[in-house]
Amino acid sequence: MEPFITHTGIGVPLKQSNVDTDQIIPAVYLKRITRTGFEDALFAGWRKDPEFILNREPYSAGSVLVAGPDFGTGSSREHAVWALKDFGFKVVLSARFADIFRGNSGKQGLLAAEVDQQDIELIWKELENHPGTQVTVDLEGRTVTCGSFSTGFQVDDYTRWRLREGLDDIGLTLRTEQEITDFEASRPAYKPATLPARTA
Amino acid sequence: MVAKASPENVAATVATAPAAEAVPRTLAEKVWQDHVVVPGNGAGDAQTPDLLYIDLHIMHEVTSPQAFEGLRLAGRTVRRPDLTIATEDHNTPTLEIDQPIADPVSAKQIQTLRDNAQEFGIRLHSLGDAEQGIVHVVGPQLGLTQPGMTVVCGDSHTSTHGAFGALAFGIGTSEVEHVLATQSLPLKPFKTMAITVEGTLREGVTAKDIILAVIAKIGTGGGQGYVLEYRGSAIRALSMDARMTICNMSIEAGARAGMVAPDETTFEYIKGRPHAPQGEDWDAAVEYWSSLPTDEGAAFDAEVFLDADELEPFVTWGTNPGQGVSLSDTVPVPEHFDDPNARAAAERALEYMDLTAGMPMKDIRVDTVFLGSCTNSRLEDLRTAAAIIEGRTKDENVRMIVVPGSARVRLEAEAEGLDRVFKDFGAEWRFAGCSMCLGMNPDQLAPGERCASTSNRNFEGRQGKGGRTHLVSPVVAAATAIRGTLSSPSDLAASESELQEA
Ligand code: SF4
């Protein structure tokens, strides 16, 4: 996973609250066997409408989603984060995130940054008045800047540390690889192995 | 802080150990503690997870493709292919298994598993192989599931393996990837719940009835956050096949896992299986396994009691596994539920199931009987059902499908002539797999079709869009196939003696 220090990209105002994971990626896309290439699935229902924000230039090239409160509620599908990342999003700003979504994001390098709703509304205004405005998200200083407006955001220390180090769950566990190796050496001989295969 | 042990203070620790060991522990705690690679920090909600070593990782074609792809994308490998095994089960056809799989999504999932197993050096039992079958039937049958192990699989019914006194639970796709890469998993400790079942089951009452009654009692969310330990004389008296049936459905009570303490029955089952320990290893293993049962005086976070003497055949009437009653009972009246959510759920369920409140469960006529799934498709289940139908006639309007849990179970059943009993009765004798448990392959219910099923989930559309499922034991399944309505063997005896008198 790429370390996340700071990111600058086009902001996309998504003026909806309670965007659940079914809307982020409808269930029919869960049958796929890949874990990339979900960009077409992102907000698939809404994108049927040509006027939907992600169908419009310059928002279609956006990488910072600025959403209403309670983003990512509903089913725990990890695909929701995959779809956002595949589309090109690096950051989602919202006043409140569903716990599981926030957890899934942190694990996969998508920054879910909490910003007060009144600030979200100021950013929305800026992005609508000046489509294509770049938003800069600085994980170091926990600040978000949009045009002349700047404010702070919240992200817990642990997630921030992981994002900055670019550590996914596996990378984190592998930092203790020596302990795993030591543990393996201490496993009793009677524990079964699948290989070499024995059959009846 | 615990100081890192040097050889000298190891001796000192051992010398003072009895005091520490005196704290009585549950089975689940023992298995957990024996697998901690790196302990977490802190306490309570703020506690960071323990890193737990995984002894056995079982895989199937549905939840593994993205895990393997994740490994590839990150340039990682499988740490312990020798602790990993895969089978094909969810999508496999149960007829004409030598033909290409017709459904492109099913075919693709299976082909992807084959390619991944090849690429990463993982043992795979493919369709047509004598060891192919439902993941949760194959592991125990090969002797790979043993007491005191940690077992995971990207499948919620992994709880089945807990019947051996293993800590076994389902995991999500990213956790599958995690286990592939590290053979370990960061986990927060679970709470423990004792489910004590004392007494003797009556004739015709089985492990399936115990677990359906447990779920009806504690509810589908009652086990949330817990590892259940099934104990008591009624559990001790059960065979391994029956204990697996119980542990299998722990997840339907919302629990993370279910366990039964290992005993002679467990050791007897494992002994001589392909991957059972041998020679000195066997002795060492049995010694360890014998130390696992919950210590006298160990505290559980919650306790539930069930009287086995009172239990009757249990069946579901609704659309979740907690909506069950005794077979001799009637379809519940929604207005009688105090809890408004339960009432609304009952109303919705009755509508979906097309049932009238108050009607006797035994008046419910079914179209199909499905004997199969990881809950009830092992040899004992097939024997039990065959013993009931042998020499009797199937209701002509009922179709009965028998799907052994594994190719090996099928072979063993055929060696005993069970296939002939089923065929003579008019049932379909199929090849192994998940089949109509979830209808990912062509074995599905038609809209409105009603099924008495030995599987574990009666959710709307689970066995096919619009299909209606009643969860039952193999005993009830067999009797129902004969009478055409939900029945137990005692109903058969009654109607047969009436016939004789007439
Ligand atoms: S038989 Fe049913 S419950 Fe068991 S693994 Fe297969 S689909 Fe899941």
Side-chain angles (χ1 to χ4, degrees):
Chain A
M1 230 164 73
E2 296 271 304
F4 189 119
I5 308 293
T6 168
H7 172 76
T8 300
I10 294 174
V12 179
L14 184 68
K15 297 173 75 175
Q16 301 252 14
S17 61
N18 274 297
V19 176
D20 66 46
T21 52
D22 251 309
Q23 287 160 326
I24 299 174
I25 179 167
V28 300
Y29 293 97
L30 307 188
K31 277 196 191 160
R32 291 189 180 171
I33 56 163
T34 55
R35 85 181 288 161
T36 52
F38 284 94
E39 55 275 7
D40 60 324
L42 181 69
F43 298 122
W46 291 340
R47 271 161 76 193
K48 287 186 192 131
D49 171 9
E51 287 306 299
F52 179 63
I53 188 122
L54 286 185
N55 290 333
R56 289 173 10 219
E57 303 265 352
Y59 302 115
S60 54
S63 62
V64 178
L65 189 65
V66 188
D70 296 310
F71 189 86
T73 53
S75 117
S76 64
R77 59 189 69 156
E78 295 167 52
H79 301 68
V81 177
W82 300 345
L84 285 161
K85 281 180 59 185
D86 288 348
F87 189 89
F89 285 108
K90 300 274 190 275
V91 183
V92 182
L93 305 179
S94 169
R96 230 174 10 243
F97 292 95
D99 277 339
I100 294 179
F101 177 85
R102 190 184 20 225
N104 286 342
S105 299
K107 287 176 183 184
Q108 301 186 46
L110 178 74
L111 172 59
E114 262 180 45
V115 176
D116 286 347
Q117 182 58 22
Q118 64 213 57
D119 292 343
I120 291 276
E121 278 166 31
L122 291 172
I123 299 173
W124 279 345
K125 199 176 274 171
E126 177 71 22
L127 294 176
E128 282 179 334
N129 292 343
H130 307 284
T133 301
Q134 305 262 336
V135 178
T136 295
V137 181
D138 175 12
L139 187 57
E140 199 66 37
R142 296 188 223 217
T143 56
V144 47
T145 309
C146 178
S148 57
F149 176 74
S150 194
T151 184
F153 67 81
Q154 310 244 332
V155 61
D156 67 84
D157 289 341
Y158 178 70
T159 304
R160 175 166 170 260
W161 169 73
R162 284 185 57 166
L163 286 166
R164 278 167 53 192
E165 299 282 319
L167 280 174
D168 60 3
D169 268 351
I170 294 175
L172 204 59
T173 294
L174 288 177
R175 287 164 78 105
T176 56
E177 188 171 4
Q178 189 55 48
E179 281 87 338
I180 299 175
T181 305
D182 294 346
F183 186 91
E184 285 176 328
S186 74
R187 292 176 78 234
Y190 55 76
K191 292 270 183 182
T194 57
L195 296 172
R198 294 193 238 151
T199 56
Chain B
M1 277 294 284
V2 179
K4 251 236 143 75
S6 70
E8 294 88 326
N9 64 26
V10 165
T13 316
V14 172
T16 55
E21 272 175 19
V23 179
R25 297 181 299 162
T26 62
L27 164 64
E29 285 162 349
K30 292 181 192 184
V31 180
W32 182 285
Q33 287 164 9
D34 284 350
H35 289 84
V36 174
V37 178
V38 183
N41 293 313
D45 286 346
Q47 189 188 336
T48 60
D50 288 343
L51 186 67
L52 235 56
Y53 197 78
I54 303 301
D55 288 321
L56 179 66
H57 184 192
I58 316 178
M59 315 188 77
H60 60 67
E61 74 275 15
V62 180
T63 48
S64 61
Q66 281 131 341
F68 283 113
E69 199 195 340
L71 285 188
R72 256 192 303 270
L73 288 172
R76 291 177 172 134
T77 55
V78 177
R79 183 177 179 90
R80 296 297 299 265
D82 62 329
L83 301 182
T84 312
I85 186 169
T87 70
E88 299 167 2
D89 55 8
H90 282 62
N91 287 277
T92 52
T94 55
L95 289 169
E96 299 178 331
I97 60 170
D98 50 346
Q99 298 298 310
I101 295 171
D103 177 61
V105 176
S106 292
K108 190 154 187 201
Q109 286 192 344
I110 287 192
Q111 190 53 47
T112 305
L113 179 61
R114 290 178 186 175
D115 294 345
N116 284 327
Q118 170 96 38
E119 179 180 343
F120 291 96
I122 287 166
R123 172 177 174 185
L124 168 67
H125 292 294
S126 280
L127 188 59
D129 180 316
E131 303 301 339
Q132 174 267 341
I134 306 173
V135 275
H136 312 310
V137 177
V138 171
Q141 159 186 291
L142 283 169
L144 283 168
T145 306
Q146 297 173 13
M149 289 173 65
T150 44
V151 180
V152 297
C153 175
D155 191 281
S156 52
H157 293 94
T158 309
S159 56
T160 313
H161 305 260
F164 291 79
L167 184 60
F169 45 88
I171 54 178
T173 295
S174 62
E175 291 171 310
V176 170
E177 182 184 338
H178 196 110
V179 175
L180 285 172
T182 70
Q183 202 58 36
S184 62
L185 211 51
L187 288 166
K188 290 198 176 180
F190 310 135
K191 291 180 288 180
T192 55
M193 183 187 289
I195 305 220
T196 306
V197 192
E198 295 288 356
T200 314
L201 292 176
R202 293 182 217 176
E203 171 99 34
V205 183
T206 66
K208 183 65 163 283
D209 306 303
I210 294 180
I211 189 61
L212 285 174
V214 166
I215 300 166
K217 183 165 181 156
I218 70 175
T220 51
Q224 207 128 42
Y226 290 97
V227 173
L228 313 182
E229 183 185 327
Y230 303 97
R231 13 189 314 121
S233 55
I235 303 295
R236 295 263 71 86
L238 295 175
S239 69
M240 287 314 297
D241 281 2
R243 292 178 189 180
M244 283 190 256
T245 299
I246 293 194
C247 288
N248 172 274
M249 290 191 70
S250 305
I251 182 76
E252 306 317 331
R256 213 41 221 279
M259 300 176 91
V260 175
D263 59 12
E264 284 303 323
T265 306
T266 322
F267 308 158
E268 199 49 44
Y269 177 100
I270 297 170
K271 192 159 196 170
R273 294 205 174 250
H275 286 278
Q278 290 167 356
E280 281 173 26
D281 280 346
W282 173 262
D283 297 335
V286 170
E287 193 186 332
Y288 173 60
W289 299 344
S290 304
S291 74
L292 291 170
T294 295
D295 298 327
E296 190 89 24
F300 290 90
D301 298 305
E303 295 198 55
V304 171
F305 295 90
L306 205 70
D307 185 352
D309 298 322
E310 293 295 304
L311 220 55
E312 292 181 49
F314 219 81
V315 294
T316 62
W317 50 268
T319 51
N320 74 54
Q323 291 176 320
V325 288
S326 288
L327 177 59
S328 58
D329 228 321
T330 53
V331 175
V333 180
E335 289 75 41
H336 294 175
F337 289 95
D338 293 334
D339 173 31
N341 288 324
R343 193 181 316 141
E347 276 166 9
R348 241 191 354 262
L350 291 194
E351 187 179 334
Y352 180 84
M353 294 296 289
D354 191 26
L355 294 174
T356 314
M359 78 185 280
M361 289 302 292
K362 287 187 182 174
D363 284 357
I364 297 173
R365 174 156 267 287
V366 306
D367 307 298
T368 295
V369 171
F370 171 62
L371 178 57
S373 90
C374 57
T375 314
N376 284 123
S377 63
R378 285 167 288 266
L379 193 56
E380 181 177 292
D381 301 310
L382 303 187
R383 280 184 187 150
T384 308
I388 294 166
I389 61 168
E390 187 158 21
R392 291 192 163 101
T393 331
K394 182 174 69 64
D395 180 283
E396 58 180 6
N397 294 318
V398 168
R399 71 164 166 156
M400 183 179 190
I401 301 175
V402 184
V403 185
S406 69
R408 173 77 49 205
V409 168
R410 186 179 143 105
L411 289 172
E412 288 172 354
E414 288 178 349
E416 293 180 13
L418 300 185
D419 58 323
R420 263 180 293 110
V421 175
F422 286 115
K423 286 187 217 159
D424 289 349
F425 178 69
E428 298 175 39
W429 178 246
R430 300 288 189 92
F431 288 94
C434 296
S435 178
M436 198 179 263
C437 174
L438 88 167
M440 249 181 134
N441 74 351
D443 307 339
Q444 297 176 4
L445 294 180
E449 194 174 344
R450 188 181 300 279
C451 179
S453 176
T454 64
S455 56
N456 46 47
R457 283 185 171 156
N458 51 343
F459 300 156
E460 290 186 17
R462 167 80 175 181
Q463 298 191 284
K465 201 161 179 249
R468 300 180 175 128
T469 304
H470 295 276
L471 299 178
V472 301
S473 72
V475 169
V476 170
T480 301
I482 296 164
R483 285 171 41 99
T485 48
L486 292 178
S487 306
S488 77
S490 58
D491 301 313
L492 298 175
S495 55
E496 277 159 14
S497 61
E498 267 168 40
L499 274 179
Q500 276 166 11
E501 277 164 32

